Amino acid sequence: MDPSSFNSAELQNLINQEKQRAMVNEMVGKLTSVCWDKCITSTPGNKFSSSEATCLNNCAHRYLDMSIMIMKRLQSMPSQGQRFMG
Amino acid sequence: MDSFSSAASNGSSSSQFSTEDFMDKLKAQLAEAYAEEFLETVRGKCFEKCITKPGTSLSGSEASCISRCMDRYIEATGIISRALFSSSASR
């Protein structure tokens, strides 16, 4: 395979899409792992209890809230904000 | 998934070794890597939950715990995924 035969803009575009998909996959995987540990404290049953399901759902939403909060807090720090966001 | 496949098939006519082929291979390898990572996670979580005191063989109750655990972990992945990506989900 000769890489130069590829339309590089097109390839770049496809690679970016895959990169994005990989990030999404990684985030779902990581958050599932963390929330599983927090919410599923007993031996897994045939069905999630409603409190387990609610906990998983809340866990994901609170993680998003926290991410936003951390982002905002970081941006409000004059020196560090620039360094990390740059 | 759909937007990806249509993007790949639209623009591959220009090259002999199509970008489509290349990306298909890449996608297959990525899918394999994701599956492997997922399996490794499930093994870790379910071993922790179900094999609390390893005996001389896998007991029936351990085996059924493992299958329940797998099912629940897959379900949990769905719940997390929906919570993150559907804005209509109840908060």
Side-chain angles (χ1 to χ4, degrees):
Chain A
M1 282 220 273
D2 176 14
S4 63
S5 67
F6 292 139
N7 177 338
S8 71
E10 179 194 350
L11 187 63
Q12 198 58 50
N13 187 27
L14 296 175
I15 286 172
N16 284 341
Q17 284 183 43
E18 277 306 313
K19 228 188 245 175
Q20 210 157 21
R21 199 196 309 284
M23 273 174 59
V24 165
N25 266 323
E26 200 184 313
M27 183 165 179
V28 171
K30 201 189 98 187
L31 209 46
T32 304
S33 169
V34 170
C35 294
W36 173 271
D37 290 346
K38 279 200 196 295
C39 297
I40 315 301
T41 48
S42 59
T43 311
N46 285 319
K47 201 171 165 291
F48 278 137
S49 69
S50 64
S51 66
E52 286 171 329
T54 307
C55 178
L56 288 169
N57 193 41
N58 286 343
C59 176
H61 281 125
R62 295 298 78 75
Y63 189 87
L64 288 181
D65 289 346
M66 185 198 68
S67 305
I68 292 166
M69 201 193 130
I70 287 175
M71 206 62 131
K72 282 188 178 151
R73 183 152 162 68
L74 200 58
Q75 277 167 338
S76 72
M77 297 174 177
S79 51
Q80 282 89 341
Q82 300 301 325
R83 200 184 312 154
F84 288 112
M85 300 299 162
Chain B
M1 200 70 91
D2 295 347
S3 62
F4 177 82
S5 20
S6 61
S9 49
N10 283 343
S12 60
S13 49
S14 54
S15 54
Q16 196 183 352
F17 300 99
S18 69
T19 308
E20 197 181 350
D21 287 349
F22 176 76
M23 288 309 290
D24 278 352
K25 272 183 197 150
L26 190 60
K27 270 177 78 178
Q29 285 195 350
L30 281 171
E32 207 178 303
Y34 293 145
E36 191 46 56
E37 199 186 314
F38 184 77
L39 280 174
E40 178 52 35
T41 308
V42 172
R43 280 195 290 263
K45 299 294 181 192
C46 295
F47 194 78
E48 196 181 311
K49 284 268 183 245
C50 298
I51 321 291
T52 46
K53 261 185 136 191
T56 50
S57 68
L58 207 61
S59 73
S61 62
E62 284 169 338
S64 63
C65 177
I66 288 164
S67 37
R68 283 197 307 270
C69 178
M70 279 185 69
D71 291 347
R72 292 297 76 72
Y73 202 83
I74 291 165
E75 192 182 341
T77 304
I79 292 175
I80 298 294
S81 181
R82 258 176 277 127
L84 289 183
F85 300 110
S86 64
S87 49
S88 59
S90 68
R91 311 193 50 149

